[in-house]
């Protein structure tokens, strides 16, 4: 009775269930588990006993199962230990000895070097910030404001003032070489009109070539490319120079000189400028444009086209080929980038041959001058050394075909032309000599006629 009292009905039922599991097979377990559930419902087994039975069932079916224990987390240090560690650190800090007075403070040199480094760092940061702001500003559109103080310089670059000065100087040389008495008023009017016509032609040329000049390093800083002035202002400036210039040459000098000036503007702006992107013949057309100013100077003084005017035009025509071909040889990349059709880009061999030919032609033209009774025979002799020297440089340019020889030929051409014109002017036959010669010829012709008369 005592054993029966000690064993409660639920415990007896659990023992019975375990014994049944051992004696029965695994196949009969599900059916018996269902029956056991019905028994449990009849006998009111509690939820805790049901979980116990489920665990027993799982362990009997899967004996390989083993429970894995989770690693325990590190035990949190108690606040008492933290306090003990802080006390130890404090003790260690108290034990540190103070700095001995034997160590001297930093010197003034080190302090100044540190200050310099700080200033340099601040400057570099400021420069980097400035560069960033400038880069941002460059990427943005800016409104170009035109100042009246900058206008003369901008218009001078628009009119290519150096090229205009060369044109006026060659026209002055043609006026001075004319076999007539020197007229100062006519000379000034002719020089001013020629200069205004050149300014107009150069301005119109830049107006047409804005999209092409922007691709070249040589011309990308021109006023119209950078937007320093508007295209309308450039056209107005060209008209304000061209119309008074042609009127001054026509009315103040003579109609022939005015017609030559108008023809030169047309030839430069409407023929040479578009031909630069079409054919290499533009070089020959441009040489004609450069040969007309000395002819204009001659016609301004004489009022007629003579052999002397054509000779001066021929000298300027031949001089431009070694000058421009040597210049374009060093700018081949720029011309090809801008889309210009130049001999140096498309026909490099022809470019060098033409330069050499026209340098040799200068020797022949210098020899023709005394034959046409424009200069004395000393001119071809004195001009022979400089003509031979530029011909030698042209031969080296033809043979070597490099940038160094082209640069030497180009710089030689810069001083060769004024030197040649100066020598030509000093060897010019005076007007009095020509008058005396004409009188002598007239008297001789009269005597011959008197002798022939009965």
């Amino acid at each position: 009775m005592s054993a029966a009292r000690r064993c409660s009905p639920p415990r007896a039922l659990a023992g019975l269930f375990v014994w049944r599991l051992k004696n029965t097979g695994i196949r009969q377990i599900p059916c018996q588990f269902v029956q056991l559930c019905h028994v449990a419902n009849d006998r009111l087994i509690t939820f805790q006993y049901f979980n116990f039975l489920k665990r027993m069932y799982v362990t009997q079916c899967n004996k390989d199962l083993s429970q894995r224990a989770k690693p325990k987390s590190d035990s949190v240090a108690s606040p008492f230990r933290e306090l003990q560690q802080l006390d130890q650190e404090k003790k260690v800090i108290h034990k540190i000895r103070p700095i001995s007075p034997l160590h001297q403070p930093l010197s003034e040199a080190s302090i100044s070097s540190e200050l310099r480094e700080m200033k340099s760092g601040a400057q570099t940061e400021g420069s980097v910030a400035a560069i960033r702001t400038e880069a941002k500003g460059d990427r943005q559109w800016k409104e170009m404001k035109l100042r009246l103080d900058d206008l003369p310089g901008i218009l001078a670059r628009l009119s290519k003032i150096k090229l205009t000065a060369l044109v006026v100087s060659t026209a002055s040389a043609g006026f001075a070489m004319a076999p007539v008495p020197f007229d100062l008023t006519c000379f000034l009017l002719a020089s001013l009109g020629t200069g205004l016509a050149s300014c107009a032609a150069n301005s119109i040329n830049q107006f047409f070539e804005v999209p092409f000049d922007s691709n070249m390093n040589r011309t990308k800083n021109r006023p119209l490319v950078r937007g320093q002035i508007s295209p309308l202002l450039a056209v107005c400036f060209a008209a304000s120079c061209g119309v008074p210039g042609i009127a001054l040459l026509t009315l103040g000098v003579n109609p022939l000189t005015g017609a030559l000036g108008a023809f030169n503007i047309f030839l430069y702006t409407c023929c040479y400028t578009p031909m630069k992107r079409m054919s290499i013949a533009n070089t020959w057309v441009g040489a004609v444009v450069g040969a007309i100013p000395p002819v204009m100077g001659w016609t301004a003084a004489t009022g007629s086209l003579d052999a002397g005017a054509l000779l001066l035009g021929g000298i300027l025509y031949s001089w431009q080929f070694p000058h421009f071909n040597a210049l374009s040889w060093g700018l081949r990349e720029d011309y090809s980038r801008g889309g210009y059709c130049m001999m140096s880009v498309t026909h490099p061999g022809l470019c060098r041959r033409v330069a050499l030919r026209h340098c040799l032609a200068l020797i022949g033209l210098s020899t023709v001058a005394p034959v046409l009774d424009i200069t004395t025979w000393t001119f071809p002799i004195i001009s022979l050394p400089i003509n031979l020297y530029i011909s030698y440089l042209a031969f080296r340019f033809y043979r070597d075909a490099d940038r160094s020889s082209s640069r030497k030929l180009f710089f030689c051409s810069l001083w060769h032309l004024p030197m040649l014109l100066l020598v030509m002017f000093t060897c010019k036959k005076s007007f009095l000599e020509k008058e005396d010669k004409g009188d002598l010829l007239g008297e001789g012709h009269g005597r011959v006629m008197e002798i022939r008369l009965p």
Side-chain angles (χ1 to χ4, degrees):
M1 291 295 293
S2 60
R5 289 177 182 175
R6 290 178 183 175
C7 295
S8 59
R11 292 183 180 178
L13 183 60
L16 179 63
F17 180 72
V18 172
W19 179 76
R20 293 286 297 178
L21 286 174
K22 291 180 179 180
N23 295 328
T24 58
I26 297 174
R27 296 176 182 179
Q28 298 177 359
I29 287 175
C31 297
Q32 294 178 1
F33 181 74
V34 174
Q35 293 178 0
L36 183 61
C37 290
H38 288 293
V39 174
N41 289 329
D42 295 337
R43 297 187 181 181
L44 298 177
I45 300 176
T46 60
F47 182 74
Q48 289 81 4
Y49 284 104
F50 181 76
N51 287 334
F52 171 74
L53 295 174
K54 184 175 67 173
R55 287 195 297 270
M56 293 292 295
Y57 170 74
V58 170
T59 53
Q60 288 294 328
C61 294
N62 299 314
K63 295 182 179 180
D64 297 333
L65 292 176
S66 60
Q67 186 178 2
R68 296 181 180 178
K70 294 182 179 180
K72 293 183 180 180
S73 59
D74 297 336
S75 60
V76 180
S78 62
F80 299 103
R81 293 182 179 178
E82 291 181 357
L83 290 174
Q84 291 177 0
Q85 291 177 358
L86 290 174
D87 292 337
Q88 291 178 359
E89 290 177 358
K90 288 181 181 179
K91 290 178 181 179
V92 171
I93 291 170
H94 286 300
K95 289 180 180 180
I96 294 175
R97 296 179 181 179
I99 298 172
S100 62
L102 296 175
H103 297 285
Q104 296 180 356
L106 293 174
S107 62
E108 295 180 357
S110 61
I111 295 171
S112 61
S113 63
E114 290 180 358
L115 292 174
R116 288 175 184 173
E117 290 178 357
M118 292 173 64
K119 289 181 180 179
S120 63
Q123 289 177 357
T124 53
E125 290 178 357
S127 62
V128 169
I131 291 170
R132 288 178 180 175
T133 53
E134 288 179 359
K136 290 181 180 179
D138 292 338
R139 287 194 292 267
Q140 296 176 357
W141 288 97
K142 292 182 180 179
E143 182 182 0
M144 300 295 293
K145 295 182 179 180
L146 179 62
R147 298 180 182 178
L148 294 178
D149 299 337
D150 300 335
L151 187 59
I154 293 173
L155 295 179
R157 285 186 284 125
L158 180 66
S159 60
K160 301 179 183 178
I161 194 65
K162 294 181 180 180
L163 181 60
T164 300
L166 178 62
V167 169
V168 173
S169 63
T170 55
S172 303
F175 190 94
M177 288 300 299
V180 294
F182 185 78
D183 187 357
L184 181 60
T185 304
C186 184
F187 172 76
L188 294 177
L189 291 176
S191 299
L192 181 59
T194 305
L196 290 175
S198 176
C199 290
N202 292 327
S203 301
I204 297 172
N205 171 261
Q206 289 196 34
F207 171 76
F208 286 145
E209 293 184 343
V210 169
F212 308 100
D213 289 342
S214 60
N215 297 325
M216 298 175 61
N217 294 327
R218 176 171 167 261
T219 57
K220 66 182 180 181
N221 290 323
R222 286 180 174 176
L224 283 173
V225 177
R226 296 186 62 188
Q228 293 178 334
I229 58 172
S230 63
L232 179 61
L233 181 58
V235 173
C236 292
F237 173 73
S240 63
C241 290
V243 174
I246 299 303
L248 194 63
L249 291 174
T250 304
L251 303 176
V253 182
N254 54 61
L256 179 59
T257 307
L260 287 173
F263 174 71
N264 209 21
I265 292 175
F266 170 79
L267 194 64
Y268 186 69
T269 57
C270 299
C271 296
Y272 170 71
T273 300
M275 282 184 68
K276 290 169 68 176
R277 295 180 297 276
M278 297 168 59
S279 171
I280 61 172
N282 68 84
T283 307
W284 282 267
V285 176
V288 174
V289 173
I292 290 178
V295 178
M296 292 173 61
W298 185 282
T299 58
T302 62
S304 61
L305 276 171
D306 300 331
L310 299 179
L311 177 64
L312 287 172
I315 290 175
L316 264 294
Y317 178 82
S318 293
W319 172 83
Q320 288 178 87
F321 285 96
H323 172 76
F324 181 75
N325 288 10
L327 174 65
S328 63
W329 189 267
L331 301 173
R332 287 178 294 173
E333 294 83 3
D334 258 6
Y335 280 124
S336 61
R337 193 183 302 113
Y340 294 111
C341 188
M342 296 295 173
M343 274 194 294
S344 59
V345 178
T346 58
H347 300 78
L350 181 64
C351 176
R352 302 193 306 272
R353 288 195 301 270
V354 169
L356 180 58
R357 289 171 189 170
H358 284 275
C359 284
L360 296 175
L362 289 173
I363 301 175
L365 291 171
S366 300
T367 309
V368 174
V371 175
L372 297 176
D373 204 18
I374 299 172
T375 62
T376 61
W377 283 98
T378 56
F379 170 65
I381 298 172
I382 297 175
S383 62
L384 184 61
I386 59 176
N387 288 332
L388 287 176
Y389 182 68
I390 195 171
S391 301
Y392 166 71
L393 293 179
F395 173 73
R396 288 191 60 182
F397 173 57
Y398 170 75
R399 183 190 63 186
D400 300 337
D402 57 355
R403 194 178 295 269
S404 175
S405 59
S406 66
R407 285 175 61 86
K408 290 179 180 178
L409 179 60
F410 171 72
F411 286 115
C412 177
S413 66
L414 293 179
W415 60 262
H416 175 269
L417 180 64
M419 184 69 69
L420 184 65
L421 294 177
L422 182 62
V423 172
M424 191 176 187
F425 178 73
T426 56
C427 298
K428 170 192 172 182
K429 282 189 176 181
S430 64
F431 177 70
L432 296 176
E433 291 179 359
K434 290 185 178 182
E435 281 188 345
D436 294 339
K437 187 177 180 180
D439 294 339
L440 291 172
L441 290 174
E443 290 177 359
H445 183 69
R447 289 176 182 178
V448 170
M449 292 298 292
E450 288 177 359
I451 293 172
R452 288 180 180 178
L453 291 174

